Amino acid sequence: MTNEESAIKTTYFSLVSNFILAIIKGLAGFFGNSYALIADAIESTTDIFASFLVLLGFKYAKRPADENHPYGHGKIEPLITFAVVAFLVISATIIAYKSILNIQTPHKVPKSWTLIVLAIIIIWKEISYQVVIKKSKETKSTSLKADAWHHRSDAITSIMAFIGISIAILFGKGYETADDWAALFAAGFILYNSYLILRPALGEVMDEQLYDSLIIEIRKKSIKVPGILDTEKCFIRKSGMKFHVDLHAIVDSEISVKVGHDIAHQLKDYLQSEIPNLEHVLIHIEPNR
């Protein structure tokens, strides 16, 4: 299974999971008098749309390179990440707004059985986060990382709701709004993590040099190719789940252009075979003196 296929399969998992949980949270919040659970359901609903966007992005990114897109369509992924982050910000804003309104509105103490529902949701969302974040690391996908953080933020809002409802139930009258304060605190945490997700995606669009470990790996592997004496400049751009490399390789200044050309091809083929995520590799030959 390719990285793209693995990412798409993982996104389907997120879609189904978010859809089921949104229904469960909404029903539990309505019948259990928990505004925090209703806010949680709203967050899960935005997650559905976010996961759907990620899925569309992956399908578009799979398109092969063409005349207008010689480097492929992978740059759609960080753009999708921006949209996913926007959904996170929207959901956090809605949760905060609803929480403030509910704090000002007298309401009943949540039902105790909502804690059982929340406990199950927290466990499931953390499992979902671990599944998706693992796949994001394997595929080097920023969109999948953003989708994983949707699961984590969902788990966090559920934990806050659990704490708030527990306080409301334990202390009773006068503490009915504890779960609303918990939801408000969770909204702030979601906004903070939105920035953490946005920053690397922005760097990807701007072609920032963020891949020092990969550069070191490329340099070490390059000198194993016969004829390569050393490497000089190495620039890396990320497009979707693939990396494009511009590498300056140093060779003996006495060899012919033909030999230098052949060595460059050998180096390119070797790097692509050793590091599967490398898409385009441009080798510039430099004389050693």
Side-chain angles (χ1 to χ4, degrees), residues 54-76:
V54 172
L55 181 63
L56 291 179
F58 284 144
K59 288 184 176 292
Y60 183 84
K62 277 186 67 178
R63 294 183 179 184
D66 55 37
E67 187 176 346
N68 292 326
H69 306 88
Y71 291 99
H73 299 77
K75 284 292 185 182
I76 190 69

Side-chain angles (χ1 to χ4, degrees), residues 121-136:
I121 289 171
I122 291 166
I123 293 170
W124 176 249
K125 293 305 288 186
E126 182 58 25
I127 291 172
S128 300
Y129 168 78
Q130 295 298 336
V131 169
V132 179
I133 199 68
K134 181 182 177 183
K135 288 296 181 182
S136 76

Side-chain angles (χ1 to χ4, degrees), residues 91-109:
S91 64
T93 304
I94 291 172
I95 290 170
Y97 175 73
K98 284 284 187 182
S99 298
I100 292 170
L101 288 181
N102 293 332
I103 288 169
Q104 298 170 345
T105 306
H107 56 80
K108 298 178 182 178
V109 174

Side-chain angles (χ1 to χ4, degrees), residues 35 41 107 124 137-138 164 199 230 276:
Y35 288 88
H107 56 80
W124 176 249
K137 290 176 181 177
E138 290 175 357
R199 185 62 189 87
D230 202 353

Side-chain angles (χ1 to χ4, degrees), residues 96-244:
Y97 175 73
K98 284 284 187 182
S99 298
I100 292 170
L101 288 181
N102 293 332
I103 288 169
Q104 298 170 345
T105 306
H107 56 80
K108 298 178 182 178
V109 174
K111 302 288 185 181
S112 58
W113 56 262
T114 57
L115 292 175
I116 299 173
V117 175
L118 277 167
I120 295 171
I121 289 171
I122 291 166
I123 293 170
W124 176 249
K125 293 305 288 186
E126 182 58 25
I127 291 172
S128 300
Y129 168 78
Q130 295 298 336
V131 169
V132 179
I133 199 68
K134 181 182 177 183
K135 288 296 181 182
S136 76
K137 290 176 181 177
E138 290 175 357
T139 59
K140 305 292 190 297
S141 169
T142 53
S143 292
L144 217 51
K145 181 181 179 181
D147 204 31
W149 265 101
H150 267 283
H151 290 295
R152 173 55 68 82
S153 67
D154 213 356
I156 290 165
T157 54
S158 296
I159 290 171
M160 293 299 104
F162 188 95
I163 294 171
I165 292 171
S166 297
I167 292 172
I169 292 172
L170 185 63
F171 294 99
K173 188 171 178 62
Y175 289 86
E176 297 90 347
T177 60
D179 67 330
D180 302 313
W181 282 104
L184 186 60
F185 180 80
F189 192 84
I190 292 169
L191 287 173
Y192 172 70
N193 280 289
S194 297
Y195 167 76
L196 296 182
I197 296 167
L198 177 68
R199 185 62 189 87
L202 182 62
E204 188 173 326
V205 168
M206 297 299 293
D207 289 333
E208 284 186 51
Q209 292 299 292
L210 304 171
Y211 316 105
D212 291 341
S213 59
L214 182 55
I215 290 175
I216 292 170
E217 183 181 4
I218 289 171
R219 288 187 185 280
K220 286 181 177 179
K221 290 184 181 298
S222 294
I223 58 177
K224 294 180 180 179
V225 175
I228 301 296
L229 303 179
D230 202 353
T231 56
E232 199 177 55
K233 299 173 185 175
C234 183
F235 302 126
I236 296 177
R237 290 173 291 148
K238 188 171 182 285
S239 180
M241 302 175 207
K242 301 292 186 180
F243 295 93
H244 304 292

